[in-house]
Amino acid sequence: MTAESSVLMRALVVLEAFDSTHMVLKLSDLMVRTGLPQTTLYRYVVDLVAWGALDRAPGGGGYQIGLRMIEIASYCPRSRLLRDVALPFIEDLYEATHQNVQLAVRDGTDVVYVELRAGRGAVVVHTRVGARWPMQTTGVGLAILAHSPSDLVEKITARPMVAFTPKTIATPERLRYAIAEVRRTGVAVSDGQITLDGYSVAAPIFGSGGDVVAALSVVVPAGDTRRALWAPAVRTAANDITRGLGGR
């Protein structure tokens, strides 16, 4: 590793210290989470603030991710084309259901949410644009997994799977059964996996090469008596996005 790449990696380690539960960090917090010495860390933080990757948090209580990062992320080709094609169908699906509508892609063994339309009065979801969750714990993740290479499933089942609720899929047997159901029905169902009050119905989206590139979901309250009605709507919207991407 060259000196230049070492500097870059350390700066990225500083940015990586932030996550959904650590959105504002003081310098002392960053020292703990990065393991960098105070003088070195302070130098990186100053440079990152000057560039716009970090901002000072309101009230002077620490640092937070800067708006420049949002600008840079918006240029990502992988999500930009997908979002441009998907947004009209996401809006249509929201108008039809008035529930939470989510669009996600795979990153490793996680899903990352690239678009979210939150319904007023709908069930509270613990997702946001940029959030990531283990694939097997979400409807969108199961929809993607069902059409991914088998070695991805083996990679997930080869290590302990986190359980957020008693309903979370956390064993190889349950995961393989869930994947078989997705292939049989064309939609993935995630019932109370992340929070017990949420029920997700998702469908896969395919690119022009025939590979699964994303998944679309609607999240409704677990007790919603109409939840069986959402599967055709989600599947239709996902198919429309697939056609928009040049897929079948």
Side-chain angles (χ1 to χ4, degrees):
M1 180 181 295
T2 65
E4 291 79 6
S5 64
S6 177
V7 169
L8 176 59
M9 289 304 298
R10 289 181 180 180
L12 293 175
V13 165
V14 174
L15 296 176
E16 196 176 35
F18 296 85
D19 58 29
S20 60
T21 57
H22 300 88
M23 299 183 70
V24 176
L25 293 172
K26 297 180 180 179
L27 197 64
S28 57
D29 300 324
L30 285 167
M31 287 176 59
V32 172
R33 291 180 62 79
T34 65
L36 294 173
Q38 182 175 353
T39 53
T40 302
L41 176 62
Y42 182 72
R43 186 167 65 250
Y44 289 133
V45 168
V46 169
D47 288 345
L48 289 168
V49 169
W51 188 79
L54 292 180
D55 287 336
R56 291 190 177 276
Y63 301 90
Q64 60 189 17
I65 295 295
L67 289 175
R68 187 77 181 274
M69 296 296 289
I70 298 176
E71 178 187 354
I72 296 298
S74 70
Y75 301 141
C76 174
R78 183 180 172 192
S79 66
R80 189 172 185 179
L81 173 61
L82 173 65
R83 289 178 68 253
D84 288 347
V85 172
L87 278 172
F89 301 107
I90 289 174
E91 191 62 30
D92 288 347
L93 185 57
Y94 170 76
E95 290 299 328
T97 64
H98 289 287
Q99 301 292 335
N100 298 298
V101 181
Q102 303 173 334
L103 179 69
V105 298
R106 178 174 78 88
D107 184 28
T109 57
D110 296 335
V111 286
V112 176
Y113 291 84
V114 296
E115 192 57 60
L116 169 65
R117 184 70 160 87
R120 181 181 299 176
V123 62
V124 175
V125 293
H126 295 264
T127 56
R128 53 180 173 74
V129 173
R132 66 172 58 232
W133 292 91
M135 294 187 74
Q136 73 276 7
T137 66
T138 66
V140 286
L142 290 171
I144 295 172
L145 263 178
H147 300 279
S148 297
S150 59
D151 60 349
L152 178 59
V153 177
E154 297 305 318
K155 187 175 182 179
I156 292 173
T157 57
R159 60 191 184 190
M161 291 184 279
V162 63
F164 300 105
T165 77
K167 290 188 173 184
T168 303
I169 294 173
T171 66
E173 293 76 20
R174 288 187 63 192
L175 179 57
R176 292 190 177 97
Y177 176 81
I179 289 172
E181 283 297 290
V182 177
R183 291 170 179 163
R184 182 180 69 84
T185 64
V187 295
V189 171
S190 179
D191 183 5
Q193 286 214 82
I194 294 177
T195 60
L196 291 172
D197 60 347
Y199 181 95
S200 169
V201 181
I205 296 168
F206 300 91
S208 58
D211 295 330
V212 63
V213 295
L216 183 71
S217 71
V218 168
V219 183
V220 303
D224 189 345
T225 57
R226 303 165 301 163
R227 65 189 192 183
L229 302 176
W230 304 138
V234 174
R235 193 163 47 226
T236 297
N239 289 341
D240 287 339
I241 297 170
T242 291
R243 283 191 289 270
L245 293 172
R248 291 185 176 182

